[in-house]
Amino acid sequence: MPDPLLLGIDLGAGSLKSTVIDGAGKVHGAASAAVETLAPHPGFSEQDPLGWRTAMIDTLSQLWRQGIDPARIGGIAFTAGAHTHVLEDADGRALRPAIMWNDQRSGRQVAALRQAQGARILELSGNLVSATWTLPQLVWTRENEPELFARIHRVRPAKDWLRRQIDGSDATDITDAWGLMLADAGGSGWSDELCRMAGIDASVLPPIVGSTQVTGTVTAAAAQATGLMAGTPVICGTSDTNAETFCGGMTRAGLGALKLATAGTVSTLTATPSFSEKVIHYPHLVPGHCYTILGTNSCASAHRWLRDTLFGTIGFDGMDRAAQAVPPGSEGLVFHPYLNGERSPYWDPDLRASYVGLGFAHGPGHFVRALYEGIAFSLRDCLEVLRGLDMGFSTARLVGGGTRSELWQQIIADVTGLVIEIPREGDASFGAALIAGLGAGVFADTQAAASVIEVKATRRPNPEAARRYEDGFAIYRETKDALTPVNHRIAAAGREGN
């Protein structure tokens, strides 16, 4: 019999991607399908879970058309963004669209929680409460949709809802449990005290299992709907960033990872997490380790917004070519990527995006390059927090869809001063496939799985560009500070207009 293949399924904010690899890490097939995000009010970000299922079936159909034999698949694993959750009733139906990790509606609830119980939440959960977490989103739902809230029978992280469509399982992993801000960071289970703050009982939360644990097998009904083979092992999986940093090669302390995906993140591995209001911690796939992470809300999503708004006729490749003709610093044009508020290091849902310094000399390429640079500055903002905590690093793996642009890769190196290594495969669906291999026994341990990771390119900082970006970073921060009170007034006016 041929060696088994491994299927990883990742639910992203804009699309769902499925990737099939073998035990040597070779990609045999990949497919993606768009997922729609709803924004019924300013700051809202929601998705219909049934759309996730449709997208998954679409990608599997594409794989079968590519010649992938479903009978060869020896394991399936899932990933998705942390914090996104599905509320189910007693019949297993979704009560409302899933509130996304980048949703900013719970700002008022966050302020109230911080004032009354912020220190206790940090002590219990290991993280600072902000609008990205499920805990304040549940409080928002309780206060604004009380009849719906009373019908909650299950709170299920996104990847676990999707996996349940395949194997019928009822479980989550410890990383996504932390992502709900309802787990006890000092133990291995749910926190009754955090659940009480959210207004729920811990009994509505799924059991917590290992990320690489087999949760079930493909059911007969799922096989009929998807083309998968009934009885194929299904593995729990984890959050997308956990999988991305692992498959990018962040498998030892002192090595960092930067992600250019829907959101942008800066991460590093640590064996001894130090909980504080400045950074976020989650358990990592590498046993006995956590990853420390800071993130900017809008990264590839801002890139896509710019394409859809101004560059629909030339697309991403045309945008990149236009940006290559613009010198470092974009001739004074500065972009702040706060299209949907901001997480690290400001934790401010009322920040807004801006282009600053426009003049007649600026053309289309300036807008693109300034966006690349502005997101790099935002990642530098996050990196400076880690450096201030003596958690900095000199080399980082770059993962996510934004890595396709060699210009953006170099800008990241020049702005951050880091040596940037680009893995051959660095997206979450590839990481999910590695997790499938761990659960199915294709890889003996995480070290064996990490052995198939390859670096395809390295970008080193250009000294001249780096000097220019030091001044640019200072201007980026100064203009952000100057615009913050104006942004707050704009956000308040928008809420009142609603």
Side-chain angles (χ1 to χ4, degrees):
M1 289 288 293
D3 291 337
L5 298 176
L6 305 167
L7 172 60
I9 299 175
D10 171 60
L11 172 62
S15 64
L16 182 144
K17 183 176 181 181
S18 297
T19 295
V20 175
I21 70 171
D22 60 24
K26 178 183 176 182
V27 174
H28 286 245
S32 63
V35 176
E36 182 183 14
T37 298
L38 309 172
H41 303 289
F44 282 37
S45 182
E46 304 179 341
Q47 290 184 352
D48 179 1
L50 293 178
W52 305 341
R53 185 177 186 274
T54 299
M56 175 177 64
I57 293 172
D58 185 347
T59 61
L60 294 175
S61 296
Q62 293 180 53
L63 290 173
W64 312 151
R65 291 196 296 271
Q66 292 173 22
I68 300 297
D69 180 1
R72 285 191 61 191
I73 295 176
I76 308 166
F78 293 78
T79 58
H83 319 300
T84 301
H85 61 281
V86 180
L87 304 179
E88 293 181 349
D89 65 14
D91 295 320
R93 293 186 295 251
L95 287 165
R96 65 171 336 279
I99 298 177
M100 301 287 289
W101 56 265
N102 58 350
D103 189 282
Q104 299 294 302
R105 77 185 68 188
S106 61
R108 187 175 63 81
Q109 288 74 27
V110 167
L113 286 166
R114 284 187 186 176
Q115 182 175 7
Q117 298 159 306
R120 184 59 175 160
I121 292 172
L122 176 62
E123 180 184 0
L124 289 169
S125 73
N127 289 299
L128 172 72
V129 63
S130 70
T132 198
W133 300 92
T134 302
L135 169 56
Q137 293 169 356
L138 285 171
V139 176
W140 181 93
T141 306
R142 184 183 70 201
E143 294 177 357
N144 290 274
E145 300 172 345
E147 293 182 4
L148 180 151
F149 190 86
R151 296 167 55 203
I152 294 174
H153 181 76
R154 206 38 137 209
V155 179
R156 204 179 298 281
K159 70 103 173 37
D160 302 306
W161 185 93
L162 194 61
R163 190 191 63 250
R164 184 172 171 82
Q165 310 308 302
I166 298 299
D167 70 353
S169 63
D170 183 30
T172 192
D173 73 307
I174 189 63
T175 302
D176 268 338
W178 279 35
L180 295 182
M181 196 167 257
L182 298 172
D184 181 357
S188 58
W190 301 109
S191 164
D192 289 332
E193 187 174 346
L194 290 171
C195 289
R196 284 194 296 273
M197 293 181 196
I200 62 171
D201 189 89
S203 63
V204 307
L205 299 168
I208 299 172
V209 303
S211 301
T212 61
Q213 181 171 319
V214 174
T215 55
T217 60
V218 174
T219 66
Q224 184 175 12
T226 65
L228 291 164
M229 297 296 293
T232 304
V234 180
I235 290 84
C236 182
T238 187
S239 75
D240 56 358
T241 303
N242 196 7
E244 285 163 327
T245 56
F246 177 74
C247 76
M250 195 182 79
T251 57
R252 57 177 173 80
L255 183 67
L258 274 63
K259 180 170 78 167
L260 302 180
T262 299
T265 62
V266 179
S267 307
T268 190
L269 205 63
T270 177
T272 55
S274 178
F275 300 144
S276 79
E277 294 185 351
K278 295 182 178 180
V279 295
I280 298 172
H281 292 287
Y282 299 98
H284 196 258
L285 279 166
V286 176
H289 287 71
C290 283
Y291 63 99
T292 302
I293 180 171
L294 293 165
T296 180
N297 267 346
S298 302
C299 181
S301 53
H303 192 205
R304 186 169 57 249
W305 162 82
L306 187 64
R307 180 203 63 182
D308 294 345
T309 304
L310 297 178
F311 295 97
T313 58
I314 65 173
F316 289 130
D317 289 342
M319 291 168 65
D320 202 63
R321 287 192 296 271
Q324 290 171 21
V326 176
S330 300
E331 296 184 305
L333 187 61
V334 179
F335 175 69
H336 298 96
Y338 312 137
L339 286 156
N340 196 30
E342 187 53 299
R343 290 188 291 172
S344 315
Y346 303 112
W347 308 107
D348 187 346
D350 289 345
L351 288 182
R352 294 294 179 263
S354 60
Y355 276 101
V356 177
L358 269 169
F360 283 121
H362 295 125
H366 293 83
F367 282 86
V368 182
R369 181 161 192 136
L371 181 136
Y372 288 168
E373 292 171 346
I375 292 169
F377 287 144
S378 186
L379 295 175
R380 166 86 180 265
D381 240 351
C382 297
L383 181 60
E384 291 301 323
V385 175
L386 293 180
R387 287 169 170 163
L389 297 171
D390 293 325
M391 300 177 71
F393 40 86
S394 59
T395 301
R397 299 290 172 87
L398 190 66
V399 299
T403 60
R404 287 189 291 269
S405 168
E406 294 184 4
L407 173 61
W408 205 354
Q409 296 170 10
Q410 187 61 50
I411 288 172
I412 295 291
D414 294 341
V415 167
T416 63
L418 298 171
V419 175
I420 298 295
E421 297 177 340
I422 296 91
R424 187 167 301 282
E425 303 292 341
D427 69 28
S429 61
F430 183 86
L434 293 181
I435 293 170
L438 286 163
V442 173
F443 304 119
D445 51 29
T446 54
Q447 183 177 357
S451 69
V452 307
I453 298 166
E454 299 178 13
V455 171
K456 67 178 182 180
T458 301
R459 308 289 175 207
R460 299 182 185 278
N462 178 292
E464 182 179 350
R467 283 192 295 271
R468 297 186 68 174
Y469 283 135
E470 283 299 315
D471 289 338
F473 183 53
I475 292 170
Y476 172 88
R477 280 183 155 181
E478 289 170 17
T479 49
K480 176 267 165 191
D481 290 342
L483 287 170
T484 293
V486 178
N487 285 330
H488 287 177
R489 288 173 60 191
I490 291 171
R495 286 191 292 270
E496 291 169 5
N498 259 355

